[in-house]
């Protein structure tokens, strides 16, 4: 018996010739098969040269063999898709966990909120009014009341200037849609941390088929549209995708949907392609979930992401920045003879 590799090479040896033949059969596989049997009938003794039933037996055995190979290949693809689906669900659990854990304080966490300047001024006004009321009452009663301590509005954070700069950068950006993407005139896109989904409705009077459209997914570039017309999308994507794990299909005969798997699964895209308007990734809302649903490794990763996001929003160092500061502090303690008073650190 031939080894599998040799059998594969033998199977593929005539692919070019057979493909050329197939392309000349407008009737598809049925017409191509009919041509093969017509050739065997007219040019060989395949049907009448052997024992009665020999041709039928050979055809059935060959069919069963290749049918079995096809079923095995399909099962392998289905197994791969199921594994990818489970991995996707695992990643989505991590993403959905952020909202609940971020919006609900951890047990034992102090529920203290810093006042805004407006809130502080309002509080001071109420205290002044209360103090004045007590003073008048004490004057009427002939007694004195110790002056209340004055509460000054909180000093602006040292990072106020940088916050203003960040606000300036956010001006003009779109608010994300319900799917954390954007609703644009010709298409709509949504995203999670790990994937992007694109919906492109086409204004046509007929039911679309695969041969009517162009969908070209490359590692960093995407093209979608009708054949013979200017593409709806044709540009460089925000970041790279896994081409082999991405896919597209036609829904309802008039809508192209494209599914893209991100390579970097730890970032939000601010645009689909470079020509799109940007969305504000700071306003993205992950779906609700529970950290308790996650395995320990995924949970620790999500908790770290949430901690860093919380620190950034308060103008405080992230876990990596804190680590660097600790190393620097330790170095300064070990070298008291060195003068760091005029040194600038990033």
């Amino acid at each position: 018996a031939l080894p599998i590799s040799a059998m594969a090479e033998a199977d593929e040896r005539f692919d070019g010739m057979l493909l050329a033949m197939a392309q000349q059969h407008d009737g598809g596989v049925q017409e191509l098969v009919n041509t093969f049997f017509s050739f065997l009938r007219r040019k060989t003794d395949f049907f009448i040269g052997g024992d009665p039933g020999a041709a039928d037996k050979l055809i059935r055995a060959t069919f069963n063999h290749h049918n079995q190979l096809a079923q095995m290949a399909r099962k392998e693809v289905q197994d791969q898709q199921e594994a990818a689906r489970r991995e996707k669900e695992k990643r989505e659990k991590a993403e959905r966990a952020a909202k609940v854990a971020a919006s609900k304080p951890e047990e034992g966490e102090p529920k203290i909120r810093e006042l805004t300047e407006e809130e502080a001024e309002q509080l001071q006004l109420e205290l002044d009014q209360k103090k004045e009321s007590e003073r008048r009452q004490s004057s009427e009663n002939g007694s004195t009341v110790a002056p209340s301590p004055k509460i000054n509005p909180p000093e602006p954070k040292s990072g106020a200037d940088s916050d203003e700069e960040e606000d300036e950068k956010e001006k003009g950006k779109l608010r994300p849609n319900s799917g954390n993407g954007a609703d644009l005139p010709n298409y709509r896109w949504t995203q999670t941390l790990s994937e992007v989904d694109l919906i492109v409705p086409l204004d046509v009077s007929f039911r679309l088929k695969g041969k009517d459209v162009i969908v070209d997914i490359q590692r960093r570039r995407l093209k979608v549209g009708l054949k013979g017309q200017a593409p709806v999308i044709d540009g460089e994507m925000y970041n790279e995708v896994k081409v082999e794990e991405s896919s597209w299909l036609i829904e309802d005969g008039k809508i192209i949907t494209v599914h893209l798997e991100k390579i970097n699964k730890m970032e939000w895209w601010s645009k689909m392609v470079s020509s799109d308007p940007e969305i504000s990734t700071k306003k993205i809302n992950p779906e609700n979930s529970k950290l308790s649903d996650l395995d320990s490794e995924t949970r620790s990763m999500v908790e770290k992401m949430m901690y860093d996001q919380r620190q950034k929003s308060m103008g405080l160092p992230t876990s990596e920045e804190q680590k660097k500061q600790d190393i620097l502090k330790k170095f300064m303690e070990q070298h008291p003879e060195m003068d760091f008073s005029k040194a600038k650190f990033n």
Side-chain angles (χ1 to χ4, degrees):
L2 288 173
I4 294 177
S5 59
M7 292 175 64
E9 290 178 2
D11 286 345
E12 297 173 0
R13 186 173 40 164
F14 301 108
D15 280 0
M17 183 187 307
L18 294 172
L19 183 59
M21 290 177 58
Q23 291 173 342
Q24 298 180 41
H25 288 74
D26 295 333
V29 174
Q30 182 176 354
E31 187 177 334
L32 179 63
V33 172
N34 184 67
T35 298
F36 285 141
F37 282 107
S38 173
F39 170 78
L40 293 175
R41 173 179 57 80
R42 293 178 295 100
K43 301 297 183 180
T44 73
D45 61 351
F46 176 77
F47 291 101
I48 58 176
D51 295 333
D56 181 76
K57 183 177 180 182
L58 176 59
I59 291 170
R60 291 181 182 277
T62 305
F63 171 82
N64 290 336
H65 169 69
H66 287 284
N67 181 51
Q68 184 178 9
L69 293 177
Q71 299 302 328
M72 291 171 60
R74 182 172 68 173
K75 186 178 185 304
E76 183 178 351
V77 171
Q78 290 174 340
D79 291 343
Q80 292 174 352
Q81 291 175 341
E82 177 64 19
R85 184 188 64 80
R86 290 178 182 174
E87 181 64 24
K88 175 182 172 183
E89 288 180 352
K90 180 180 177 182
R91 290 195 302 265
E92 288 178 345
K93 281 184 180 180
E95 294 165 18
R96 293 194 300 266
K99 179 67 175 180
V100 166
S103 60
K104 295 181 180 179
E106 298 290 338
E107 291 185 6
E109 182 180 341
K111 300 180 180 180
I112 298 175
R113 180 173 61 85
E114 182 180 0
L115 295 177
T116 65
E117 291 186 14
E118 292 78 7
E119 291 172 331
E121 290 175 0
Q122 180 64 29
L123 177 59
Q124 181 64 50
L125 179 61
E126 292 174 0
L127 289 171
D128 289 343
Q129 291 174 347
K130 183 178 180 182
K131 182 174 68 174
E132 183 64 26
S133 175
E134 290 175 350
R135 183 179 293 118
R136 284 197 300 268
Q137 185 177 358
S138 63
S139 298
E140 294 171 359
N141 296 333
S143 60
T144 59
V145 177
S148 302
K150 184 178 181 180
I151 299 178
N152 294 319
E155 292 292 328
K157 292 183 180 179
S158 60
D161 293 340
S162 61
D163 290 342
E164 290 178 3
E165 290 177 4
E166 288 183 1
D167 290 341
E168 286 293 326
K169 291 179 181 178
E170 291 298 303
K171 285 184 178 179
K173 292 185 179 180
L174 302 177
R175 177 177 291 276
N177 60 21
S178 59
N180 297 325
D183 296 328
L184 302 177
N186 296 322
Y187 54 91
R188 178 178 193 266
W189 66 277
T190 60
Q191 65 173 324
T192 65
L193 277 173
S194 58
E195 61 190 22
V196 178
D197 287 298
L198 173 67
I199 299 175
V200 184
L202 297 175
D203 186 14
V204 292
S205 58
F206 57 92
R207 191 172 184 84
L208 289 173
K209 295 183 179 179
K211 64 181 181 180
D212 301 319
V213 302
I214 296 176
V215 180
D216 183 15
I217 304 173
Q218 299 180 20
R219 190 178 179 90
R220 191 64 187 269
R221 194 171 186 87
L222 177 65
K223 183 177 182 180
V224 180
L226 274 174
K227 283 185 179 178
Q229 296 186 18
V232 179
I233 301 175
D234 186 9
E236 186 176 273
M237 290 185 284
Y238 180 83
N239 211 336
E240 297 179 341
V241 300
K242 295 182 179 179
V243 177
E244 65 279 3
E245 294 185 18
S246 300
S247 59
W248 66 275
L249 56 87
I250 298 174
E251 292 187 357
D252 300 329
K254 293 188 178 183
I255 300 174
I256 301 175
T257 61
V258 182
H259 175 79
L260 304 170
E261 285 287 333
K262 297 179 181 177
I263 289 181
N264 183 351
K265 300 183 182 299
M266 300 294 290
E267 72 171 353
W268 295 106
W269 286 17
S270 63
K271 57 177 68 176
M272 181 73 229
V273 291
S274 57
S275 58
D276 283 353
E278 280 192 286
I279 65 169
S280 174
T281 55
K282 289 186 175 181
K283 297 177 182 177
I284 280 178
N285 241 341
E287 296 176 6
N288 292 340
S289 185
K290 295 180 181 178
L291 286 177
S292 57
D293 292 341
L294 308 175
D295 59 75
S296 58
E297 181 181 355
T298 308
R299 175 172 179 167
S300 62
M301 178 184 70
V302 172
E303 288 175 339
K304 179 179 180 297
M305 290 170 57
M306 291 169 52
Y307 173 80
D308 289 343
Q309 186 176 2
R310 202 159 49 229
Q311 291 291 96
K312 283 183 179 180
S313 66
M314 295 187 294
L316 300 175
T318 63
S319 55
E320 289 297 324
E321 292 168 346
Q322 185 63 53
K323 185 177 179 181
K324 292 178 182 178
Q325 290 181 8
D326 292 342
I327 293 173
L328 178 60
K329 183 178 179 182
K330 185 176 181 181
F331 178 79
M332 293 171 66
E333 290 174 350
Q334 292 174 348
H335 299 275
E337 73 281 0
M338 298 179 69
D339 182 13
F340 294 93
S341 60
K342 296 182 180 180
K344 293 182 179 181
F345 303 102
N346 293 324

